[in-house]
């Protein structure tokens, strides 16, 4: 018998197993698996223009993948990317296994804090997403979920997005007059804004609405 999760478009046995690994067994589990952080992709920078000291989104091609082991039990993996404006190093400490994920010529989207080391821009342990040639990275504010090994951010994002595309409402917990009185979002809108907010202000309102709902239920 098909489970409620398997009714969501794109979920087969392999993806279902991944969701179970994360403790997601029902659609309610899925909706309550809220992001741990968000990426602001409202603007993508050229490497030369990426602001130092700030979080930024950059797209480039991999020019170098190199692992060094300066001492026992320590490895430094450097993935150098380039675009028309310059180069940037992505640095990963003690994550040598990631060298198998990246290849020269690959096109990637990266998001992280821009720093300068020896007059060269770099990001330490950024989020990295591989892109096909001509593919545009998802824009706006993107959710970052807690994951297990072998599960990609795009997997969870696509599953949650598919649920919202297929469903337009959720049973309300709070009385509607109370929502209006407290200027809170309806439950469906609050859940959607927790996963895919149009702004961080909307996400803050969604978090407030769901926290009030939880308090209401407890009382």
């Amino acid at each position: 018998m098909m489970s409620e999760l398997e009714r969501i478009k794109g979920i087969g046995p392999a993806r279902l197993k991944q969701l179970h690994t994360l403790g997601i067994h029902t659609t309610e589990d899925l909706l309550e698996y809220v992001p741990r952080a968000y990426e602001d992709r409202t603007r993508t920078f050229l490497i030369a223009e990426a602001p130092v000291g700030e979080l930024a989104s950059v797209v480039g091609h991999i020019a170098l993948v190199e692992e060094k082991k300066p001492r026992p039990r320590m490895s430094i993996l450097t993935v150098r990317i380039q675009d028309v404006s310059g180069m940037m190093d992505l640095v990963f400490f003690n994550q040598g296994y990631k060298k198998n994920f990246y290849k020269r010529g690959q096109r990637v989207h990266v998001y992280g804090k821009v720093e300068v080391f020896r007059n060269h821009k770099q990001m330490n342990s950024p989020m990295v997403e591989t892109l096909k040639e001509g593919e545009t990275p998802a824009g706006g504010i993107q959710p970052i979920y807690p994951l297990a090994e072998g599960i990609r951010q795009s997997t969870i994002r696509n599953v949650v997005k598919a649920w919202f595309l297929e469903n337009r409402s959720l049973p309300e917990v709070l009385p509607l007059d109370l929502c209006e009185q407290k200027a809170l979002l309806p439950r469906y809108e609050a859940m959607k804004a927790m996963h895919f907010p149009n702004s961080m202000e909307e996400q803050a309102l969604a978090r407030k609405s769901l926290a009030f709902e939880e308090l209401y239920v407890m009382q």
Side-chain angles (χ1 to χ4, degrees), residues 44 113 146 159-160 162 177 179 190 195:
T44 298
K113 186 176 181 180
V159 168
V160 176
D177 58 344
C179 281
H195 291 278

Side-chain angles (χ1 to χ4, degrees), residues 32-75:
E32 292 180 356
Y33 197 75
V34 296
R36 60 174 173 80
Y38 299 86
E39 290 181 10
D40 187 352
R41 297 185 184 178
T42 50
R43 182 181 176 189
T44 298
F45 293 89
L46 288 172
I47 289 173
E49 298 173 354
V52 176
E54 297 182 21
L55 292 167
S57 181
V58 170
V59 172
H61 287 84
I62 294 176
L64 170 76
V65 180
E66 181 181 61
E67 183 185 15
K68 293 183 179 179
K69 297 183 178 181
R71 59 177 183 266
R73 297 186 180 180
M74 181 179 184
S75 73

Side-chain angles (χ1 to χ4, degrees), residues 12 21 37 40 45-46 49 63 66 71 79 85-86 90 94 97 104 119 121 131 144 164 194-195 198 207 216:
T21 299
D40 187 352
F45 293 89
L46 288 172
E49 298 173 354
E66 181 181 61
R71 59 177 183 266
V79 178
S85 71
L90 316 178
N94 294 327
Y97 65 91
R104 289 184 61 182
N119 297 318
K121 282 187 175 179
L131 298 173
I144 303 298
F164 280 109
M194 279 299 296
H195 291 278
N198 292 311
R207 187 174 66 246
Y216 180 86

Side-chain angles (χ1 to χ4, degrees), residues 65 84 153 215:
V65 180
V84 294
Q153 288 291 337
L215 183 63

Side-chain angles (χ1 to χ4, degrees), residues 24 27 37 104 112 127 196 219:
I24 300 172
T27 53
R104 289 184 61 182
M127 298 293 301
F196 302 107
Q219 290 183 341

Side-chain angles (χ1 to χ4, degrees), residues 33-41 55 109-112 125-129 140-147 152-154 156-157 160 194-197 200 203:
Y33 197 75
V34 296
R36 60 174 173 80
Y38 299 86
E39 290 181 10
D40 187 352
R41 297 185 184 178
L55 292 167
H109 166 266
V110 301
Y111 180 86
S125 298
M127 298 293 301
V128 182
E129 176 185 11
I141 297 172
Q142 293 295 312
I144 303 298
Y145 296 95
L147 298 177
R152 297 161 58 95
Q153 288 291 337
S154 58
I156 306 303
R157 287 177 190 154
V160 176
M194 279 299 296
H195 291 278
F196 302 107
M200 293 313 295
Q203 187 272 342

